[in-house]
Amino acid sequence: MNDSGANTSPSASKFIEMANAIRALSMDAVQQANSGHPGMPMGMADVATVLFSKFLKFDPSKPNWPDRDRFVLSAGHGSMLLYSLLHLTGYKDMSLEEIKNFRQLGSKTAGHPEYGHADGIETTTGPLGQGLATAVGMALAEKMQAARFKDIVDHHTYVIAGDGCLMEGISHEAASFAGHLGLEKLIVLWDDNEISIDGKTDLAVSDNQLKRFDALGWDTQTIDGHDPDAIETAIAKAKESNKPSLIACKTTIGYGAPNKQGTSGVHGAPLGAEEIALARKELNWPHAPFEIPATIRDRWRAVGTKGARISSAWEKAFDALSTDEKSAFETSLSGELPSSLDDAMLAYKKQLTEDAPGWASRKASQEALNIINEHVSTTIGGSADLTGSNLTKTSHLDPVTPEDFSGRYVYYGVREFGMSAIMNGMALHKGFIPYGGTFMVFTDYARPAIRLSALMEQRVIYVMTHDSIGLGEDGPTHQPVEHLASLRAMPNVNVFRPADAVETAECWEVALKSKKTPSVLSLSRQGLPLVRNDYTSENLSAKGAYELSAANIDAQVTLLATGSEVGIALDAQKALEAEGIGTRVVSVPCTDLFDAQSQSYQTETLGPGTVKVAIEAASSYGWSRYIGREGEFVGLDSFGASAPAGDLYKHFNITSEAVVEAAKKQL
């Protein structure tokens, strides 16, 4: 093989040189870092060159232009493909110095693309399959936004995915969902190189991916991924389809490296100086490392600048809208909440203290959402086939269907991981505030996407009901024990476990106002008495923990509790004070927010000089930092059991009597 261009037309030769610029930058950056994945960028350089030069609608001078096409590198290990493209097309913050600092501390060119590090990186990728699923969320958001603003929304979502992405189970969840809804502006370019880190993919997989995607309602094609004409024809055809499209691009991993191409040896390691020298000869690239000849750079910059005309035309179309339409569009993109919501929530809280409903917190969540969804037109609800249990649907939300994307409720089916990644894509796309529900125990299925919500600082709200052994008869498979502790350990996630309807409303307010932090609302199945009987306009839950009930005599005991166990703590307080033991109760709806308070507030709230007991129907892990080594914990450090909720609380000794005994033990 020799890409000298001697036997090709001048235009084809220019194309080859443009693709080889990607290959050269990729192999040089990986070599300099002595770390990385050169194989995929070298193999997919031709596909990427066609996509960016012929189809992708983008403007590097306006990287956040709302109607740009989205490009997602699901195979995020091949990050140098994306960084090369951003640099070559003229994104100002992707300088050659950033390319040279690939994988170095503080650079924009991290080992895997990280959202927010540089313009043009639409999502964090690297955990295989999640990029594809996130892109489905972007494509869904485009359809929903277009249903609301048809004159100014019309863009595609393109994905480069690898064999590994399609092996991951989330690819099935996402592809099935996309096929069901007919997201025709989603085009996936599959790097079909048949190589994984361990070797040939036939070591582990022999799926017919085209038949799989065809069965899921996709259009499918197979092409030579090194033939620019075939690539262009296939993408053009995909754009005309009324289905999402998968294009299998048959490629050679590490294309151009004569001794390593087509092998696993080029997947995840530098080529080495000797092989790079040979590749330069093979590719007819006689240039020094990181050197891009001016003529080739100019061709790439021309690709970047042509988007300015398209973005300017869009701006004219936007300016032609009515004042109300422009305001609605800009407000949706900003993610700001309407001022009317604050007054509505205050009135709602006041009504709750008067009515004192004993709702389960999942029901209290739905009631809060009735207020929220009336005032916030950008909330998009959903559930992973548990709508009637999660209570995530309100009367304001019509379903999204393949025929009508104007609705605000998504039936995700039994796809917890897929739902969560899709919500990430909707949040990243902008225009909507997604929330979705499942059982708290199934945060295990959703966890990798929750982690990316946190890493990318996205306002995605997870409504996780059936939060403890309180769900009862479904048994230990459905009763979360360690989940609160594990989610609290995750950076930049607010985990809420409200005690009653008032706290639930307050937690929803905080979640909605946390624009850079995802939230998990852990909600009960069983009814909970109202414990916030006195109205206050202050959002006490926003502090994470607060004194709910003061001691009537000099405090000797502080009881800390969350959720359904706050009621148990209040009962224990009465019993202890009846014996002359001054006791205060602290409600802890969110340890994450409490940890963010001042040291003086934390100390005061925890009650210096008092003995401490924590009560939570979950693992004790993490509570020692509040109750100390001498404190007592009343909870559950084992799996649950199948029985009515009341019987389980007695069986596992999570009772007011146990709390009284634990407090006395320390006195």
Side-chain angles (χ1 to χ4, degrees), residues 44 54 133 184 189 206 440 547:
M44 285 295 280
K54 299 285 188 179
E184 79 279 1
L189 301 156
S206 52
M440 182 68 180
E547 184 179 78

Side-chain angles (χ1 to χ4, degrees), residues 1-25:
M1 173 199 106
N2 189 301
D3 279 334
S4 65
N7 298 313
T8 57
S9 67
S11 60
S13 179
K14 290 178 181 179
F15 173 88
I16 291 168
E17 288 178 333
M18 291 174 70
N20 285 344
I22 296 173
R23 294 185 172 103
L25 285 176

Side-chain angles (χ1 to χ4, degrees), residues 12 72 85 110 226 273 316 349 362 413 543 631:
V72 173
L85 289 162
H226 300 299
K316 290 181 181 178
K349 278 174 58 178
R362 61 171 177 156
K543 295 180 177 179

Side-chain angles (χ1 to χ4, degrees), residues 79-99:
S79 56
M80 270 309 305
L81 177 71
L82 177 56
Y83 301 149
S84 298
L85 289 162
L86 297 179
H87 170 67
L88 291 167
T89 55
Y91 282 80
K92 290 181 180 179
D93 61 351
M94 190 55 68
S95 65
L96 189 59
E97 284 306 306
E98 291 292 347
I99 299 292

